Amino acid sequence: MNGHVVVVGLGFGDEGKGAVVDALCADRPTTAVVRFNGGAQAAHNVVAEGRHHTFSQFGAGTFAGVPTHLSRFVLVEPFALATEARQLEAAGVRNPLALLSVDGDALLTTPFHIHANRAREDARGNERHGSCGKGIGETVWYSLLAGASPGEVVEGQEVLGEPGSAPTVADCTRPAVLRRKLDALARFYAPLASPRHSVDELVALYRDFAGAVRITDGGETGRLADAGRVVFEGAQGVLLDQHHGFHPHTTWSTTTPHNARELLGGRPHTVLGVTRTYHTRHGAGPFPTEDAALLGRFPEVHNGLGRYQGAWRVGHLDATLLDYAIAACDGVDALAVTHLDADGPRVVLEPGSPAVDLDDPLAWFGARRPVALAGYGPDRADYRAPVTICG
Amino acid sequence: MGYGHWDDNAYAAAKTFRAAKGEDDFGYTANLRAKPAKEWRVAPALDPKNAIRECRDSADHADSTPIAVLFDVTGSMRRVPRIMQGKLGKLHGLIQRKGYLADPQVLFGAIGDADSDRVPLQVGQFESDNRMDEQLRTIFLEGGGGGQKSESYELAAYFMARHVVTDAWQKRGRKGYLFIIGDELNKPSLRAKHVRRIIGDDVHQDIDPASVYRELARKWNVYYVLPNQSSYYNDPEIGAHWSGLLGQNFLKLDDPGAVCELIAATIGLEEQVVDVDGALADLADIGSAAEGAAVGKALTRLGGRSVVTSAVPEPGGPDDVVLR
């Protein structure tokens, strides 16, 4: 795959997108990894050359030396970004922030959003949505409130007070504008939750952030794509998509390839759908083929229980969900299949039917779409391009 | 002032971003030193001229305790503010998280030589959140000094005695903590013209420095820390001078990199929250085990004492300064 590649997860997340992006970047010269959805809640594990990192806002091509561009569809959280930069530095990446560019129109996730998100999820008690507690949904919701009045219900949530316009990355270079927007945020969320940071402190920190990363206009993805090969890294999975997932257990983000296609503006590309040889889900929500007995058979190295997200769940491969996810993408050109080392995976072919052995997973997936990349373990060295079996 | 909370994460994030853009942690100094010396000025926020500094209780901090750290910024002492800046998170974490003080508020200041420096005194404000980091970075590290083995510590002591108001004292009769970090002597006398020019008080007679420290000790636990980095570390005259003024609160510190840890441990000890061993264990706990040895050595006299043998009188002593 020499051209642009859009990597999307065909499950509920944790399909192996990070490892796939890393393998693609290590395999061919790549100009940039472009993130086209999600925010600081992403957790993409890459193991390569004796290093491990869980990529969150940095692209998973970082270990391969590929710069990251955060497009306007990404939510940017500077505190977490700085923490991740320090982790990457400790893992041997020199000045990681220099590898980063950000679209000025990208929304900022602030401590106000994070605290509100947690307060709401805590208040749900046993009815949790499976939120990561990182303020993602709250950031999107607040950005939709322009013109809304107090008491009005927008997207199922009551508007608490007088909303202002949502702060963006570009605002970080304009302290007066940023201060006005943060003041409005502080007033708006005061009845729900207040972070311990003062607006003054945030303005100073965000100004430092703006000085440390390159802030671009909306044309950056196009320029990168014209300069060379670009890998688009999706976050979360198609089954959590805001329009195609199972409400309310969804993420407030377009996880399908549509944002990437929009950024590409008609340039040719390959959409690569990533799937495990079984299904997983992190936190609450429907999971038809779930089987707790599989937890012991398919050990999980890098995923565990999240305080806000909830338990790690495992089930058989669900052919219906896989086909549904591919359809939600308006089709994928090829598959990347991960966890081919799993012990005795099985597949449920029709809803309600018993799981049957998946004797030759590569052949089974190849019958649906060409398999472009196969992963047999967590390490970059465990990834290879198989002989594609076409159906 | 005094509202908000210190946040290690925000402090670390700001440091990460500044490092990424190649910005010096002491950008104010870098900018000023690029200009001719006649344009060197104290940052307005740190200007002691006609200023009062306050450490007040607030809704967030009902039991505020002032901690003032004033360091000599002449010559070799310039390393100390850089060390402080790098370890602020640890200082605050140790004092607050280990329960040495509930609501510490920290003020930073810098001391130079009023006879020869352009910016001989800088005094910030008491802060309990990340503005203390900003304050530290705004200090001008002039690096001058006269070479006469004395700096204007007595001018700084005068400011702290006369121009600082604290709720800890006014409401609770509790002393604050003042750490002066330096390596030389006081000037033989606090010059009236320096007080007028730098602090703005209408004083017309020179004042005996010892009387300033006596007045100061009524409301403050005052320490002088002599870090081992100057030619005066083993000079008996320095030790005799400061021991004479502050008694056992004259502390010699082998490792200048342990200044932050020494301040925190001293407070823990003075508050009787920990003993020396406990303080060293706490240091190890926050990743300052290496500094522990120097701190332990510096604190032997302080931790072992059973009677206060300080030369300064207890509160209630004479209020009037001695004029000369």
Side-chain angles (χ1 to χ4, degrees):
Chain A
M1 285 188 287
N2 288 314
H4 306 313
V5 186
V6 178
V7 176
V8 290
L10 296 176
F12 296 104
D14 299 301
E15 301 89 352
K17 293 177 294 291
V20 165
V21 167
D22 168 71
L24 291 172
C25 288
D27 183 52
R28 301 281 156 83
T30 305
T31 306
V33 165
V34 174
R35 285 279 309 271
F36 62 87
N37 71 326
Q41 90 280 36
H44 296 171
N45 287 292
V46 174
V47 180
E49 293 160 349
R51 301 190 282 188
H52 167 243
H53 179 73
T54 306
F55 287 93
S56 176
Q57 295 185 80
F58 279 88
T62 303
F63 278 167
V66 177
T68 300
H69 177 64
L70 303 181
S71 72
R72 68 176 185 275
F73 297 112
V74 175
L75 312 177
V76 179
E77 207 281 80
F79 283 79
L81 193 64
T83 305
E84 191 177 2
R86 290 196 300 281
Q87 289 167 350
L88 284 169
E89 223 154 6
V93 179
R94 250 189 95 246
N95 198 0
L97 287 165
L99 287 171
L100 202 65
S101 60
V102 190
D103 190 317
D105 286 339
L107 290 173
L108 267 186
T109 296
T110 71
F112 297 102
H113 300 110
I114 295 169
H115 282 249
N117 169 205
R118 293 182 180 186
R120 285 195 210 277
E121 188 76 345
D122 285 343
R124 286 181 192 123
N126 292 330
E127 302 297 311
R128 292 194 164 198
H129 293 178
S131 167
C132 296
K134 301 210 164 152
I136 303 300
E138 207 63 47
T139 305
V140 177
W141 183 70
Y142 187 80
S143 76
L144 301 176
L145 300 184
S149 317
E152 210 173 300
V153 173
V154 176
E155 298 282 341
Q157 282 182 176
E158 188 186 332
V159 178
L160 308 161
E162 205 64 58
S165 58
T168 65
V169 166
D171 294 335
C172 297
T173 61
R174 304 185 290 249
V177 176
L178 182 66
R179 186 181 305 277
R180 182 165 48 73
K181 290 188 177 184
L182 292 177
D183 280 340
L185 259 182
R187 278 195 300 274
F188 182 81
Y189 279 116
L192 191 59
S194 292
R196 32 194 294 163
H197 307 89
S198 67
V199 166
D200 280 350
E201 215 182 307
L202 288 174
V203 170
L205 183 85
Y206 290 166
R207 192 193 53 213
D208 286 335
F209 155 69
V213 300
R214 196 165 60 85
I215 297 176
T216 73
D217 62 22
E220 185 66 9
T221 305
R223 287 190 289 273
L224 291 168
D226 290 339
R229 180 211 203 200
V230 170
V231 173
F232 290 80
E233 180 177 357
Q236 294 82 49
V238 165
L239 297 178
L240 294 176
D241 182 79
Q242 58 180 337
H243 303 299
H244 301 280
F246 306 98
H247 200 68
H249 308 287
T250 54
T251 184
W252 214 325
S253 170
T254 295
T255 61
T256 60
H258 296 92
N259 289 345
R261 289 191 182 119
E262 194 178 326
L263 290 165
L264 276 162
R267 291 173 182 83
H269 61 276
T270 302
V271 174
L272 185 61
V274 186
T275 174
R276 292 192 185 214
T277 52
Y278 51 95
H279 269 105
T280 66
R281 177 154 206 160
H282 215 159
F287 191 171
T289 61
E290 181 172 18
D291 184 349
L294 296 176
L295 280 170
R297 279 238 312 277
F298 303 151
E300 191 62 24
V301 188
H302 300 300
N303 285 295
L305 176 89
R307 176 175 167 210
Y308 281 88
Q309 208 176 3
W312 174 252
R313 303 157 67 192
V314 177
H316 301 292
L317 186 66
D318 187 327
T320 314
L321 279 184
L322 184 69
D323 290 341
Y324 173 78
I326 291 172
C329 294
D330 289 332
V332 301
D333 300 302
L335 296 175
V337 183
T338 69
H339 296 78
L340 279 158
D341 55 336
D343 174 24
R346 308 181 89 188
V347 58
V348 174
L349 294 168
E350 299 286 338
S353 73
V356 297
D357 286 345
L358 196 55
D359 289 328
D360 186 350
L362 269 190
W364 189 89
F365 282 106
R368 280 181 150 66
R369 287 288 186 285
V371 177
L373 199 62
Y376 292 86
D379 199 286
R380 182 193 290 167
D382 303 322
Y383 277 75
R384 62 201 68 140
V387 178
T388 301
I389 304 153
C390 293
Chain B
M1 303 302 132
Y3 49 87
H5 296 268
W6 175 262
D7 178 56
D8 273 350
N9 195 25
Y11 166 71
K15 240 179 134 53
T16 304
F17 291 138
R18 285 197 304 269
K21 58 178 161 167
E23 194 177 281
D24 196 292
D25 270 333
F26 289 86
Y28 185 80
T29 297
N31 292 341
L32 221 52
R33 291 189 73 84
K35 295 178 181 173
K38 64 175 169 45
E39 291 177 30
W40 293 356
R41 300 268 185 283
V42 57
L46 302 175
D47 193 348
K49 187 84 175 268
N50 301 319
I52 293 282
R53 300 293 183 236
E54 296 173 286
C55 178
R56 299 294 192 190
D57 297 341
S58 66
D60 284 346
H61 306 286
D63 186 23
S64 62
T65 304
I67 303 170
V69 182
L70 301 175
F71 30 72
D72 183 338
V73 286
T74 59
S76 64
M77 293 303 296
R78 292 176 54 193
R79 244 190 90 194
V80 172
R82 290 184 181 276
I83 291 163
M84 295 291 304
Q85 208 279 335
K87 290 187 166 178
L88 256 181
K90 282 187 173 181
L91 171 67
H92 202 269
L94 193 58
I95 292 173
Q96 198 164 40
R97 280 201 291 279
K98 294 290 179 186
Y100 293 1
L101 289 174
D103 300 318
Q105 295 198 15
V106 184
L107 166 152
F108 287 109
I111 299 165
D113 187 329
D115 287 322
S116 56
D117 287 350
R118 301 241 164 210
V119 185
L121 183 62
Q122 306 169 70
V123 189
Q125 184 55 276
F126 289 97
E127 304 287 6
S128 54
D129 63 14
N130 292 55
R131 277 169 294 189
M132 70 178 87
D133 171 33
E134 197 176 319
Q135 185 179 112
L136 197 45
R137 290 185 290 107
T138 312
I139 282 178
F140 178 48
L141 307 176
E142 183 166 1
Q148 63 279 62
K149 208 164 131 180
S150 65
E151 307 292 357
S152 298
Y153 304 115
E154 71 292 339
L155 186 69
Y158 173 91
F159 182 90
M160 293 305 294
R162 293 286 177 90
H163 286 256
V164 176
V165 188
T166 75
D167 275 350
W169 179 257
Q170 290 192 326
K171 290 187 185 171
R172 296 179 285 281
R174 270 175 54 87
K175 291 186 182 187
Y177 290 95
L178 168 61
F179 292 85
I180 299 172
I181 302 159
D183 60 355
E184 299 191 40
L185 309 174
N186 284 284
K187 298 278 175 190
S189 136
L190 172 58
R191 305 294 299 277
K193 65 173 184 181
H194 291 160
V195 175
R196 288 199 305 274
R197 175 167 63 86
I198 296 155
I199 298 179
D201 282 3
D202 193 25
V203 172
H204 291 277
Q205 273 183 284
D206 292 352
I207 300 170
D208 171 19
S211 72
V212 177
Y213 285 94
R214 279 200 296 276
E215 182 180 331
L216 187 61
R218 294 185 58 211
K219 298 177 190 170
W220 295 86
N221 294 304
V222 185
Y223 301 86
Y224 188 85
V225 179
L226 171 65
N228 183 16
Q229 59 185 342
S230 71
S231 49
Y232 299 127
Y233 189 62
N234 290 314
D235 184 333
E237 193 188 355
I238 305 280
H241 174 82
W242 286 104
S243 294
L245 288 171
L246 305 175
Q248 291 184 329
N249 288 2
F250 165 64
L251 305 174
K252 284 179 78 169
L253 183 62
D254 279 353
D255 173 9
V259 162
C260 245
E261 285 83 353
L262 177 63
I263 290 172
T266 303
I267 290 172
L269 229 54
E270 198 68 62
E271 293 288 315
Q272 300 185 327
V273 176
V274 285
D275 56 14
V276 175
D277 289 342
L280 298 186
D282 286 346
L283 287 182
D285 202 38
I286 60 157
S288 288
E291 288 83 354
V295 172
K297 199 171 156 196
L299 289 179
T300 25
R301 290 195 305 171
L302 205 56
R305 74 182 176 198
S306 49
V307 201
V308 177
T309 56
S310 163
V312 293
E314 283 300 281
D319 194 16
D320 295 333
V321 295
V322 178
L323 302 174
R324 11 173 84 171

